[in-house]
Amino acid sequence: MSEIDELLSIRAAELYYEENKTQDEIGSILRLTRWKVGRLLAQAKASGFIRIEIVHPRARRLPVERRLREVTGLSDAIVVSSAGVSGDELQSRTAQAAADYLTSLRPIPRTLGISWGRTLHEVSLHLKQGWAPGVNVVQINGGVSLNKRAGTAATTAVTIAQKAMGAATLLPSPAILERLETKQAIEGDRAVAAVLDMGTSASAYLYSAGQADENSALVDSGYLTTEQVSELVRKGAVGDIVGRYIDSNGNIVDPALDERTVGIQLEQLRRAKTAIAVIAGSNKHAVAQAIVRSGLCTVLVTDEETANAILNDHNRKGNS
């Protein structure tokens, strides 16, 4: 582009985007044809002179989504803006995007396997009544709370199912047992075994991830102490998925703890046709990177900063 065309394209863009002039009006002002004005506007956008930002909370970052799909091999990616928000507001924005995605998912899953936690509870609240016709929901990991603060597992499953005019099948077990013998006895129970079988054959999965620190839902629910989580971090844990702590490569960090954890195995998520991970916030960058890197989801719903952290991680790995 010549210097004259560059200056004209900037002036045309100013008139079009800041003065709200039509292309015909710009043509009259600059003494150009309407066709020439359209070409200048296109050149201005292609040259990076124009930056358009959609600031609605439900707006998505489509270029970042496209890069995530291309670079990581995800079948789909949904990325919301992180600009100006953090904490609970960012989690709410991401949960809304997950609810929107779930509502538009085709084919509609007949059975949806879900985990539990603060993020999925938020998703259940954002889903509209009648979001799908007759989806049955099944818990894929234990969620009977050990205290009153985080007892959302059953409520989450029931809410998602009722809003889809379906039924909820709950897993009547804590997430983690103190003794292996107790866990084996519970999973040997016919009713519990039936729920786990249903979970392994679900049409799609929806889960989130927990950070490996004192703010983990597993700590909040009374399953683990902060000291136990610190020990898991020392062993390489970056977070948990369906109650199972993984390292940066998606491997289980504590086999003994994992054996006492009730729920489907991680390999089931890796083999799934549709496994939707909903993850937001800077404290979950490491676990989000591990999940994508190790193929634990096919769809990622996240925020822009987390998406960029995943892309940067992939670039580092590719250049090493």
Side-chain angles (χ1 to χ4, degrees), residues 42-201:
Q43 287 175 337
K45 188 174 182 182
S47 300
F49 303 152
I50 300 168
R51 182 171 60 195
I52 300 172
E53 183 177 11
I54 303 171
V55 297
H56 192 279
R58 292 169 82 166
R60 290 163 51 174
R61 293 293 184 253
L62 301 184
V64 182
E65 293 179 1
R66 183 168 57 251
R67 286 178 58 207
L68 267 181
R69 290 192 298 269
E70 292 171 352
V71 168
T72 66
L74 288 167
S75 63
D76 211 346
I78 296 82
V79 178
V80 301
S81 173
S82 305
V85 296
S86 61
D88 292 344
E89 188 175 351
L90 185 60
Q91 178 174 284
S92 178
R93 182 175 289 188
T94 307
Q96 177 66 72
D100 292 342
Y101 183 81
L102 201 58
T103 302
S104 65
L105 187 61
R106 296 295 182 273
I108 298 169
R110 302 299 1 131
T111 304
L112 179 67
I114 69 164
S115 66
W116 58 273
R118 305 180 192 101
T119 301
L120 282 204
H121 185 61
E122 188 93 18
V123 173
S124 75
L125 298 179
H126 282 292
L127 283 167
K128 300 294 186 184
Q129 187 67 41
W131 68 268
V135 174
N136 295 316
V137 175
V138 57
Q139 275 183 244
I140 57 176
N141 63 312
V144 175
S145 183
L146 303 183
N147 62 34
K148 296 180 180 179
R149 288 181 296 169
T152 62
T155 303
T156 299
V158 170
T159 300
I160 293 175
Q162 285 183 343
K163 287 183 174 180
M165 297 169 283
T169 301
L170 307 180
L171 185 55
S173 169
I176 302 171
L177 280 303
E178 288 189 4
R179 296 175 59 84
L180 177 59
E181 295 84 356
T182 307
K183 182 256 192 177
Q184 291 172 334
I186 286 177
E187 289 194 341
D189 180 84
R190 185 168 60 183
V192 174
V195 178
L196 291 172
D197 285 344
M198 185 183 298
T200 58
S201 60

Side-chain angles (χ1 to χ4, degrees), residues 246-300:
I246 61 171
D247 63 16
S248 60
N249 293 313
N251 299 317
I252 296 296
V253 297
D254 189 330
L257 175 65
D258 194 63
E259 286 182 353
R260 294 187 283 109
T261 301
V262 179
I264 67 170
Q265 300 294 321
L266 296 186
E267 283 306 312
Q268 184 62 39
L269 295 176
R270 288 193 176 96
R271 293 195 300 265
K273 183 177 180 181
T274 304
I276 307 164
V278 188
I279 307 170
S282 58
N283 56 357
K284 295 186 179 180
H285 285 183
V287 70
Q289 290 166 349
I291 287 168
V292 173
R293 186 187 305 135
S294 60
L296 282 163
C297 70
T298 64
V299 178
L300 178 66

